[in-house]
Amino acid sequence: KKDDGFWGNTITVINNFANTVLNLTLRDVKIDVSDTGSYWVEGKAALSVQGKGNVEIELDGENELKSGVQRAGLEKNTSTSTGTLTLKDDKEAGSGSLKATGGKYGAGIGGGNYGSGENITITGGTVTAKGGVLGAGIGGGVVGSGTNITITGGTVTASGCAGAGIGGGINGSGSNVTVSGA
């Protein structure tokens, strides 16, 4: 554990079963690996979602993820994850939050450097997604696209850094973004 209350460990969630939902609860998880990586070396992703299956993350308490260079804060690259990532706050509606900050060239939530983020759904919670330099808030990293992003509830703040708030990173594209009821 680091002195500032954050952990330096990372979480990788892998669901390779296409017809199965993997449920995960984040409760007061604080991970900071923003000091990893460099221009030439890929850093660590605080939390990475991978595989063919869907992953649903229940947000309980205050959660914060900060990733290293070339990685998204909560990483879901289309090259390693084809299922849907859902962020929700069902247990105690309104009390769960997530702040996800991408490293340089990565999205806040979605793709890392040259990575696209797709099939991302937010149904509840307070979600703040901040892209690293040239990345989107929710969607793609540098040159990456943001596709099939749906927000149906909760409070969402998404800011890119030369990339879109929701959509593609710099020189990337965005499509099929739906916001309703949030």
Side-chain angles (χ1 to χ4, degrees), residues 59-83:
L59 301 175
D60 290 350
E62 296 180 9
N63 302 284
E64 191 165 355
L65 305 171
K66 299 177 183 180
S67 290
V69 178
Q70 302 185 36
R71 303 301 292 264
L74 193 171
E75 191 162 280
K76 184 191 182 303
N77 281 316
T78 57
S79 60
T80 57
S81 174
T82 55

Side-chain angles (χ1 to χ4, degrees), residues 2-64:
K2 296 181 174 184
D3 290 337
D4 58 3
F6 284 81
W7 291 93
N9 298 336
T10 61
I11 299 171
T12 301
V13 178
I14 302 171
N15 181 4
N16 283 323
F17 299 97
N19 296 322
T20 304
V21 175
L22 189 150
N23 291 291
L24 172 71
T25 298
L26 290 184
R27 181 176 296 117
D28 297 319
V29 173
K30 295 182 190 283
I31 298 173
D32 183 354
V33 288
S34 60
D35 58 350
T36 63
S38 67
Y39 181 81
W40 303 107
V41 178
E42 185 177 77
K44 296 178 181 179
L47 193 159
S48 176
V49 174
Q50 302 174 13
K52 299 174 187 172
N54 298 337
V55 174
E56 293 187 0
I57 299 177
E58 168 71 25
L59 301 175
D60 290 350
E62 296 180 9
N63 302 284
E64 191 165 355

Side-chain angles (χ1 to χ4, degrees), residues 122-137:
I122 300 172
T123 64
T126 301
V127 177
T128 303
K130 183 177 180 187
V133 174
L134 307 180

Side-chain angles (χ1 to χ4, degrees), residues 53-170:
N54 298 337
V55 174
E56 293 187 0
I57 299 177
E58 168 71 25
L59 301 175
D60 290 350
E62 296 180 9
N63 302 284
E64 191 165 355
L65 305 171
K66 299 177 183 180
S67 290
V69 178
Q70 302 185 36
R71 303 301 292 264
L74 193 171
E75 191 162 280
K76 184 191 182 303
N77 281 316
T78 57
S79 60
T80 57
S81 174
T82 55
T84 297
L85 167 64
T86 301
L87 299 176
K88 60 185 187 169
D89 181 15
D90 291 343
K91 291 182 183 171
E92 296 178 33
S95 66
S97 68
L98 172 65
K99 291 180 182 176
T101 304
K104 195 173 191 178
Y105 315 127
I109 299 172
N113 191 31
Y114 293 101
S116 295
E118 69 176 27
N119 302 330
I120 299 169
T121 299
I122 300 172
T123 64
T126 301
V127 177
T128 303
K130 183 177 180 187
V133 174
L134 307 180
I138 301 173
V142 170
V143 189
S145 64
T147 307
N148 299 333
I149 300 169
T150 304
I151 301 170
T152 61
T155 302
V156 178
T157 304
S159 57
C161 185
I166 301 174
I170 193 165

